[in-house]
């Protein structure tokens, strides 16, 4: 049995939540290994909608253990609110079925002000299009070795020194930006107030996961965002602040690379992105608007409209390589029902020359021209199809052409937001 890593193969919002939820019935442990509460997952189960931002998608499955790994940055106040929210929907959440890594860095309240100030442009910095939730500053402090981590809340006697070290950086930074500097006493009180709602979930999760692996338990690793937002491999600087590629599942959970067995990439049957940055196949016409309307392309937690465009096989082929994707779960095929023609970007032209990948240089990215292959669309509905026999012939041809172009086979096909409207081609856990 292979442990499975689920990663976004585009710019995020590919429908990972549904796929992780669908796969979690076969898993024993579900681990969130990076990101914060910016990238939400929408789950639709028997008509009931669950909107998750921080909790692993497996939390809605009874009898499963969910883990928030050390690669995540955790807003303790948001965590407490989200726990109460899903409990109100009848989901059991307790330290028995949810654990948080003791060394997870915390998102502090003043990070949000810093994040928002930078995005406003008042700081003279380039707007990236973040969710302004303080996630970037939290990762900055982690790398800067001054973060407040979950374990620190369990040791109030040492908290003052750690806050002093943190504010030695942030007080002059805030003053330089014209912001009110954070107050040490207020920060301490804030942390101690929330501590009782978070500390019961704290655990040395690396050891817990290692014991589960050695016992033959099936582990499902869940990422946030998409590979094209990876801080190293994405469209920098329009990226997130963490590594979103599959390799970080090991680092972000405290396991070695041999714990990863199968990498499942999630890709929409078209392409979307939120925020700024290059998007070669973006459609600024009625077709793009139509895809957005039918696909309900608005952020789960932010409500921001997503930019929409044709499927970019060149980009997805690139993420197959950088994440070592073994198979793809193709989602939202039903959104393309009724189109007369459908385009697929096969490669680009850069200054008239063919190029088969997204170059790292932003100036070169801006000069890319997508080259399309046009395929006939289909009139019959793919929505709620649960077998290949239910799909129109042209829809099957479209899926097969995507497989050829990206260099990976389709392991699952999603035909609606509902959990059961999924066609299984290859079981990732049986790799």
């Amino acid at each position: 049995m292979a442990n499975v890593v689920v990663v976004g193969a585009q710019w995020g919002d590919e429908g990972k939540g549904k796929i992780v939820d669908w796969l979690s019935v076969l898993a024993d442990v579900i681990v969130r290994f990076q990101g914060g509460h910016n990238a939400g997952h929408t789950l639709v189960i028997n008509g009931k909608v669950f909107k998750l931002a921080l909790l692993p998608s497996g939390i809605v499955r009874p009898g499963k253990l969910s883990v928030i790994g050390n690669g995540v940055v955790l807003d303790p106040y948001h965590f407490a609110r989200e726990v109460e929210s899903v409990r109100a929907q009848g989901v059991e959440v307790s330290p028995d079925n949810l654990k948080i890594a003791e060394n997870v860095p915390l998102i502090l309240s003043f990070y949000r002000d810093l994040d928002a100030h930078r995005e406003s442009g008042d700081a003279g910095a380039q707007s990236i299009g973040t969710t302004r939730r303080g996630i970037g500053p939290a990762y900055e402090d982690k790398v800067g070795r001054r973060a407040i981590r979950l374990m620190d809340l369990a040791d109030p006697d040492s908290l003052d020194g750690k806050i002093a070290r943190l504010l030695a950086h942030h007080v002059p930074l805030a003053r330089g930006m014209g912001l009110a500097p954070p107050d040490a006493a207020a920060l301490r009180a804030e942390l101690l107030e929330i501590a009782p709602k978070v500390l019961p979930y704290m655990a040395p999760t690396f050891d817990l996961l290692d014991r589960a692996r050695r016992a033959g338990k099936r582990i499902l690793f869940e990422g946030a965002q998409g590979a094209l937002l990876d801080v190293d491999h994405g469209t920098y600087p329009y990226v997130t602040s963490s590594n979103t590629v599959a390799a970080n599942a090991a680092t972000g959970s405290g396991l070695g690379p041999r714990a990863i067995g199968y990498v499942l990439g999630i890709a929409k049957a078209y392409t979307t992105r939120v925020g700024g940055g290059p998007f070669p196949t973006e459609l600024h016409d009625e077709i793009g608007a139509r895809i957005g309307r039918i696909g309900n392309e608005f952020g789960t937690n932010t409500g921001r409209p997503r930019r929409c465009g044709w499927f970019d096989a060149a980009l997805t082929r690139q993420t197959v390589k950088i994440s070592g994707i073994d198979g793809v779960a193709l989602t939202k095929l039903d959104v393309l029902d009724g189109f007369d023609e459908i385009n697929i970007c096969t490669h680009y032209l850069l200054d008239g020359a063919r190029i088969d990948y997204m170059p790292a240089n932003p100036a070169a990215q801006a000069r890319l021209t997508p080259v399309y292959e046009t395929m006939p669309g289909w009139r019959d509905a793919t929505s709620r199809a649960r077998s290949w026999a239910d799909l129109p012939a042209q829809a099957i041809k479209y899926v097969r052409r995507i497989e050829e172009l990206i260099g990976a086979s389709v392991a699952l096909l999603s035909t609606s937001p509902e959990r059961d409207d999924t066609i299984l081609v290859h079981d990732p856990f049986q790799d």
Side-chain angles (χ1 to χ4, degrees), residues 37-39 53 75 78 107-108 111-112 115-116 130-137 301-302:
H37 61 301
N38 53 342
D75 183 324
H78 178 89
I107 297 175
L108 307 176
Y111 290 171
R112 295 191 292 271
D115 200 357
T130 77
T131 52
R132 306 186 179 203
R133 296 188 172 190
I135 292 161
N301 291 295
T302 64

Side-chain angles (χ1 to χ4, degrees), residues 186-376:
L187 179 56
R188 176 187 172 86
E190 174 185 313
L191 291 172
L192 294 182
E193 178 187 32
I194 196 63
K197 294 187 177 181
V198 188
L199 285 176
Y201 299 90
M202 184 176 73
T205 53
F206 76 93
D207 184 60
L208 182 155
L209 291 171
D210 182 67
R211 285 187 280 112
R213 180 183 65 85
R214 292 177 184 275
K217 302 291 186 182
R218 289 163 294 191
I219 304 174
L220 182 61
F221 299 92
E222 173 188 6
Q225 292 104 8
L228 293 170
L229 293 179
D230 185 275
V231 70
D232 284 305
H233 300 287
T235 47
Y236 191 92
Y238 297 97
V239 294
T240 193
S241 299
S242 61
N243 287 109
T244 61
V245 293
N248 196 38
T251 305
S253 61
L255 291 174
R258 291 184 180 178
I260 299 173
Y262 186 96
V263 179
L264 180 68
I266 315 298
K268 284 177 182 171
Y270 49 96
T271 309
T272 66
R273 93 170 289 177
V274 171
F279 187 171
T281 66
E282 183 174 11
L283 295 168
H284 300 280
D285 56 12
E286 173 53 30
I287 293 177
R290 177 181 172 185
I291 291 173
R293 285 195 307 271
I294 299 172
N296 192 29
E297 294 297 349
F298 300 92
T300 297
N301 291 295
T302 64
R304 292 189 296 176
R306 298 176 186 136
R307 300 155 63 189
C308 299
W310 294 121
F311 186 85
D312 192 331
L315 271 184
T316 310
R317 186 166 58 239
Q318 188 166 335
T319 62
V320 166
K321 295 175 182 178
I322 63 177
S323 262
I325 290 172
D326 297 299
V328 171
L330 193 67
T331 66
K332 292 199 168 185
L333 181 66
D334 54 300
V335 174
L336 299 180
D337 291 354
F339 281 84
D340 293 327
E341 293 182 336
I342 299 172
N343 289 331
I344 303 176
C345 173
T346 58
H347 59 281
Y348 312 117
L349 293 179
L350 176 60
D351 302 331
R354 176 178 176 134
I355 184 169
D356 292 315
Y357 65 95
M358 171 77 77
N361 186 341
Q365 293 170 358
R367 301 199 306 275
L368 293 176
T369 299
V371 177
Y372 291 111
E373 177 179 303
T374 300
M375 299 187 66

Side-chain angles (χ1 to χ4, degrees), residues 59-145:
I59 199 68
V60 301
R61 288 279 191 185
K64 309 294 181 180
L65 176 64
S66 292
V67 174
I68 296 177
N70 57 276
V72 173
V73 287
L74 184 133
D75 183 324
Y77 278 91
H78 178 89
F79 170 81
R81 290 193 299 269
E82 190 168 329
V83 166
E84 291 306 314
S85 175
V86 296
R87 279 177 177 164
Q89 291 185 276
V91 176
E92 177 190 350
V93 183
S94 75
D96 293 330
N97 69 338
L98 176 64
K99 301 292 185 183
I100 306 175
E102 60 185 359
N103 53 338
V104 68
L106 300 181
I107 297 175
L108 307 176
S109 59
F110 71 87
Y111 290 171
R112 295 191 292 271
D113 297 332
L114 176 59
D115 200 357
H117 184 66
R118 288 170 171 170
E119 282 296 299
S120 70
D122 293 339
Q126 183 180 33
S127 175
I128 301 299
T130 77
T131 52
R132 306 186 179 203
R133 296 188 172 190
I135 292 161
Y139 275 114
E140 290 174 32
D141 280 351
K142 172 185 177 178
V143 175
R145 296 167 292 186

